[in-house]
């Protein structure tokens, strides 16, 4: 998979992407990460990439020429995605979709962002990493790279660990424990040491449901509430339900 990053602070992305899982994926040849600096195509002595906004106001805006030029010259793989707080949010589903592509590119803004013509005529789409404003797109690009890279076959040791975890099923992941079975006075749930795989599976599913109901009821609502089976599963493990959230799929109960 090839990912190109267009940024005036590529070092920030590289510092992060040269270590750990992403670094290993690159060393192993699974991931081909390339950087393009819009300053490289400027022609003035100051290598200017920004200018004041038309209409006034605070801050600077990234000029269109260097961005169009670097993209037209380097032809980074499409889709070209502009990291932006006003894009649709990055989700696990979006990461999975990107992981299935042969490549894509990430454009990092800075200052007040990019000239609107970049948004309208150069990039293919936008992506936000959350409802807050960063100083630049580099951290956001690193987030996308890591979320996507770990889904590319051959990057994580064990593909099952991807399919089981938070969001893959629309639910948050169940709690995980490792040795020792008793740490201080806190003991691992008996179920997990019962050797009964069916029971373990049901317990995990119930824990996932319960955790999601408590922490992210919006995710439960999005999948249409709880089915009768899921309610029975929660009851089997005595997991209390936050009252308001039982909703949609239990009419006539
Ligand atoms: N004035 C802009 C914010 C600019 S922040 C606005 O109000 O929308 C500067 C740059 O940081 C942006 O161009 C974008 O590339 C990046 N950025 C900031 N917040 C982000 C977020 N939540 N997700 C992705 N990129 C973000």
């Amino acid at each position: 998979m090839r990912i190109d990053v267009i940024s005036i602070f590529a070092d920030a992305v590289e510092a992060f992407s040269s270590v750990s899982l992403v670094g290993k994926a690159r060393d192993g040849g699974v991931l081909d990460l390339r950087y393009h600096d819009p300053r490289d195509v400027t022609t003035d002595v100051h290598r200017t990439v920004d200018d004041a906004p038309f209409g006034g106001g605070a801050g600077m805006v990234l000029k269109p020429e260097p961005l169009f030029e670097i993209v037209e010259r380097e032809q980074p793989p499409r889709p070209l995605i502009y990291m932006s707080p006003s894009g649709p949010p990055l989700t696990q589903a979006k990461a999975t979709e990107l992981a299935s592509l042969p490549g894509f590119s990430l454009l990092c803004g800075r200052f007040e962002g990019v000239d609107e013509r970049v948004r309208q005529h150069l990039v293919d789409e936008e992506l936000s990493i959350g409802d807050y404003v960063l100083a630049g797109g580099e951290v956001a690009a690193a987030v996308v790279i890591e979320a996507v890279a770990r889904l590319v076959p051959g990057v994580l040791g064990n593909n099952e660990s991807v399919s089981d975890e938070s969001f893959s099923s629309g639910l948050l992941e169940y709690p995980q424990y490792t040795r020792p079975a008793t740490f201080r006075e806190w003991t691992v749930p008996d179920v997990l040491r019962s050797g009964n795989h069916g029971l373990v599976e049901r317990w995990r599913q119930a824990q996932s449901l319960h955790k999601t109901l408590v922490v992210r009821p919006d995710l439960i609502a999005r999948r249409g509430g709880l089915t009768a089976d899921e309610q029975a599963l929660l009851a089997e493990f005595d997991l209390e339900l936050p009252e308001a959230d039982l909703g949609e799929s239990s009419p006539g109960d």
Side-chain angles (χ1 to χ4, degrees):
M1 156 163 291
R2 177 168 157 187
I3 305 176
D4 285 29
V5 177
I6 298 145
S7 161
I8 57 171
F9 293 116
D11 288 355
V13 184
E14 175 60 17
F16 179 80
S17 304
S18 52
V19 296
S20 187
L21 178 137
V22 176
K24 268 191 218 138
R26 294 170 72 190
D27 294 344
V30 182
L31 185 64
D32 176 6
L33 205 52
R34 303 187 198 184
Y35 302 100
H36 309 285
D37 185 346
R39 286 199 200 277
D40 291 348
V41 294
T42 54
T43 49
D44 63 312
V45 285
H46 302 295
R47 309 178 78 203
T48 309
V49 290
D50 59 323
D51 206 340
F54 271 115
M60 300 295 269
V61 174
L62 284 174
K63 292 160 65 62
E65 306 98 305
L67 297 178
F68 273 82
E69 257 179 72
I70 192 90
V71 168
E72 284 160 5
R73 194 181 82 179
E74 302 294 326
Q75 299 281 325
R78 297 280 178 159
L80 172 56
I81 303 167
Y82 171 47
M83 301 313 307
S84 158
S86 47
L90 174 66
T91 58
Q92 191 62 23
K94 183 67 190 180
T96 305
E97 180 194 316
L98 291 174
S100 73
L101 301 175
F104 60 90
S105 302
L106 302 170
L107 170 62
C108 304
R110 271 277 152 181
F111 317 116
E112 289 308 308
V114 298
D115 184 284
E116 182 66 15
R117 288 160 292 190
V118 169
R119 208 194 274 267
Q120 289 188 350
H121 305 294
L122 184 64
V123 306
D124 302 304
E125 54 186 286
E126 298 179 41
L127 211 47
S128 165
I129 64 158
D131 291 344
Y132 38 80
V133 179
L134 303 165
E138 287 75 15
V139 170
V143 167
V144 173
I145 292 167
E146 184 160 292
V148 171
R150 64 194 294 285
L151 298 176
V152 174
V155 171
L156 280 189
N158 171 359
N159 262 333
E160 253 178 57
S161 58
V162 171
S163 64
D164 238 21
E165 65 197 357
S166 296
F167 307 115
S168 318
S169 59
L171 298 175
L172 304 180
E173 196 188 47
Y174 47 79
Q176 303 265 23
Y177 294 88
T178 186
R179 269 173 283 274
T182 301
F183 169 65
R184 306 215 166 144
E185 72 274 31
W186 305 303
T187 304
V188 172
D190 287 339
V191 176
L192 295 177
R193 295 189 293 148
S194 67
N196 180 337
H197 297 299
L199 184 65
V200 169
E201 197 42 53
R202 289 207 305 286
W203 182 86
R204 286 181 165 166
Q205 180 69 15
Q207 291 291 332
S208 270
L209 283 165
H210 186 250
K211 188 170 183 174
T212 313
L213 272 170
V214 173
V215 181
R216 293 292 302 277
D218 57 306
L219 294 177
I220 300 285
R222 199 177 304 165
R223 59 205 285 288
L226 295 178
T227 65
D229 282 353
E230 287 168 342
Q231 293 182 43
L233 195 58
L234 288 168
E236 177 183 345
F237 294 97
D238 283 329
L239 292 167
E240 271 178 28
L241 302 174
E243 263 167 33
D245 299 317
L246 266 176
E248 290 92 324
S249 60
S250 54
D253 269 1

